[in-house]
Structure formats: C-alpha cells, structure tokens
Amino acid sequence: MMVLGLVTLVLHGTLAGLYYAFSMSVMPGLRAVDATAAGEAMRGINRKIQTPWLFVPFLGAPVAALVAGFLASDPAAPWYFAAAGVNLVGSLVVTASINVPLNNALDAGRITFGDYAPRWTAFNTVRAVATVASLVLVGVALTR
C-alpha cells in the first residue's frame, strides 16, 4: 500500500508542477512577446504536450487516489477519496470543459491569443490550486 500511496503522491505532484509552471512562467513568458508568435508557440505546445508524459499523471493521479482509497485503512481512505474528487473536478472537469475548448478555438483561429491567454491562464491556475490541494490530501493520507 505504501508504494501505491507514493505513486499517487508523485502523480499528483507531477500534475501540480505542470500546471504551476504554465501559470507562473510559460503563459507570462508568452504574453511578453508578440501575440502572433505567442499564439503560434501555444498551438505548438498544445500539440506536443499530448504524450504519455502528460496522460499518465493527468488520468493516473485521480485513478491512483481512488484505488488507494479502496485499498487503504480506514483513517487514510477518506483522504485518498477526497484527493481523487478534488483532482477529478479541479483538473479533469476544468480541462475538458474549459482549457481544451479554448485550445481548440485557438488552434482553429476562432480566438486571438490576446483573448485566449487571460482566460486560459485563470482556469489553469484553478487546475494548479486543485492539484496542489489533492497533493496535500494524498500527503495527509500517507500519514494516517
């Protein structure tokens, strides 16, 4: 069970770090250059990020937390379930309902980078906060 708990922690930490890095450095960096170049760069990022390096933590973190919740002892289980729920809503739902549609609109030319960046970054920050919270919840579960 300890190995599953640590894997769950690493998956949540990886995802939290990704979202944090985008909100704190990538998007401000892109907003500091020409909007046309920034939009082209973001379209490239959106295409290249879709690899197992993204999908394993993106899909694996909430699944691992859920499985850990079912396998954990009584004091730890609710913390794992909470981590899974926070991650599902704060990462998966936000991504599917807001960030990916914005990415698709940018890719199709239906939105300018200037209109895209503030909204995308705000919701990416929501994802960062949610995954940091789920990371903390997994950490608490590991102490139970």
Side-chain angles (χ1 to χ4, degrees):
M1 185 58 216
M2 180 58 75
V3 171
L4 177 58
L6 291 174
V7 167
T8 303
L9 186 73
V10 169
L11 291 171
H12 281 83
T14 302
L15 198 55
L18 174 71
Y19 293 148
Y20 177 82
F22 262 86
S23 285
M24 297 300 127
S25 62
V26 174
M27 295 308 288
L30 290 175
R31 291 180 79 182
V33 300
D34 174 72
T36 302
E40 189 61 35
M42 192 65 190
R43 284 188 287 280
I45 290 168
N46 287 336
R47 288 184 198 112
K48 295 296 183 179
I49 200 168
Q50 296 181 40
T51 69
W53 291 108
L54 169 67
F55 292 121
V56 167
F58 181 71
L59 299 173
V63 170
L66 193 60
V67 170
F70 283 116
L71 298 177
S73 62
D74 189 35
W79 296 97
Y80 283 118
F81 289 134
V86 169
N87 188 295
L88 281 168
V89 172
S91 178
L92 282 157
V93 170
V94 170
T95 298
S97 64
I98 298 167
N99 291 88
V100 168
L102 283 169
N103 291 345
N104 293 341
L106 181 68
D107 194 48
R110 294 189 312 266
I111 189 171
T112 67
F113 185 78
D115 291 334
Y116 164 92
R119 185 163 185 227
W120 191 95
T121 304
F123 283 99
N124 184 70
T125 302
V126 168
R127 299 188 299 179
V129 170
T131 52
V132 167
S134 64
L135 174 66
V136 170
L137 291 166
V138 171
V140 171
L142 284 169
T143 67
R144 303 293 170 183

